[in-house]
Amino acid sequence: MKDVSMKQINYLIERYPQLNEIKENIILSIEKIIEAYKNGNKIMVCGNGGSAADSLHIVGELMKAFVLPRKLPMDLKLKLEKTSSNAKYLQDNLQMALPAISLVNEVGLLTAYANDVAPDLNFAQQVLGQGKEGDILLAISTSGNSENVIYAVEVAKALNITSISLTGKTGGKLKGMSDILIAAPETETYKIQELHLPIYHAICLAVEAEFYTEE
């Protein structure tokens, strides 16, 4: 990991000292995500309720510029000139992305699968259909016991997809299942969620810095 990426984690701990106890797992998660992106893989994110909103938030930070500019490479700009009469507009406004999918967003699929098959397998089915070896599943559950999230992690393990679980202090059932556990040191749901946001912001900032810091 680059020094500029590590600075984001140190800044996180500076602002939230209680997270120092899970600092190493946060760093390990970032390293795994960086490795996945370098290998051409993607991140899938899932969760329920407030964690569903968090999953959408994370995708928003990864799929466009967060704090750093993400300019298109020259070869892509040249290709756009050959394929579009609006090349300048595209060149000026498109941003490079870090591929990420929120599994809470497929309303048609989720409702059909819940109605026709099994509602608690809604995320697992998408991991099966979207995931490939080397991807990352970021599973968010404040209790660590959300059944649909647990099933998604089980499918991820079968497909050799790294599972990173973002939970509360106990980790719940996900503690013994996840490849990496980031257990925010709180027990009340809203307090856990209040820590999840700076944690995943720091992860997104560190990953972005790894790929888009100009040296």
Side-chain angles (χ1 to χ4, degrees):
M1 189 190 305
K2 294 179 180 178
D3 289 343
V4 68
S5 299
M6 192 63 212
K7 285 180 181 178
Q8 296 292 345
I9 307 310
N10 291 332
Y11 184 47
L12 171 70
I13 304 305
E14 179 184 323
R15 290 180 297 136
Y16 299 91
Q18 67 270 46
L19 298 180
N20 189 58
E21 64 186 81
I22 58 172
K23 179 180 178 180
E24 292 305 313
N25 278 7
I26 294 173
I27 292 172
L28 182 57
S29 297
I30 293 166
E31 290 173 340
K32 285 291 186 182
I33 291 169
I34 290 170
E35 180 185 358
Y37 280 138
K38 285 183 176 178
N39 290 331
N41 289 96
K42 65 180 178 294
I43 293 178
M44 298 174 289
V45 196
C46 66
N48 299 294
S51 298
D54 285 332
S55 76
L56 293 167
H57 190 165
I58 291 166
V59 170
E61 308 299 19
L62 293 172
M63 286 287 289
K64 61 170 184 59
F66 190 0
V67 299
L68 296 176
R70 301 192 192 176
K71 298 177 182 178
L72 302 187
M74 184 55 65
D75 62 334
L76 180 52
K77 288 184 176 181
L78 293 174
K79 289 178 181 177
L80 288 169
E81 287 180 0
K82 294 179 180 179
T83 61
S84 175
S85 59
N86 302 298
K88 182 67 166 57
Y89 181 68
L90 296 174
Q91 291 168 344
D92 290 346
N93 291 286
L94 288 177
Q95 302 172 343
M96 294 302 291
L98 294 164
I101 299 171
S102 172
L103 303 184
V104 310
N105 212 26
E106 294 292 342
V107 177
L109 173 59
L110 291 174
T111 53
Y113 203 81
N115 185 64
D116 299 344
V117 190
D120 55 0
L121 296 182
N122 54 359
F123 296 146
Q125 177 64 27
Q126 290 187 77
V127 172
L128 180 62
Q130 298 274 17
K132 67 176 183 177
E133 183 173 346
D135 285 347
I136 302 283
L137 174 65
L138 181 53
I140 310 175
S141 172
T142 56
S143 67
N145 295 318
S146 303
E147 289 295 332
N148 56 352
V149 175
I150 288 170
Y151 287 134
V153 170
E154 290 178 337
V155 173
K157 292 177 76 68
L159 299 178
N160 202 23
I161 292 169
T162 298
S163 58
I164 300 171
S165 291
L166 193 55
T167 71
K169 185 174 183 177
T170 69
K173 294 178 182 177
L174 288 172
K175 181 177 182 178
M177 300 171 55
S178 309
D179 294 308
I180 305 171
L181 181 73
I182 302 176
E186 288 289 354
T187 55
E188 293 183 81
T189 297
Y190 77 94
K191 292 181 180 179
I192 296 168
Q193 291 171 329
E194 287 173 353
L195 290 179
H196 279 181
L197 188 146
I199 290 169
Y200 68 67
H201 265 173
I203 291 172
C204 293
L205 286 165
V207 174
E208 180 182 62
E210 189 75 17
F211 290 98
Y212 295 106
T213 300
E214 294 185 4
E215 299 187 55

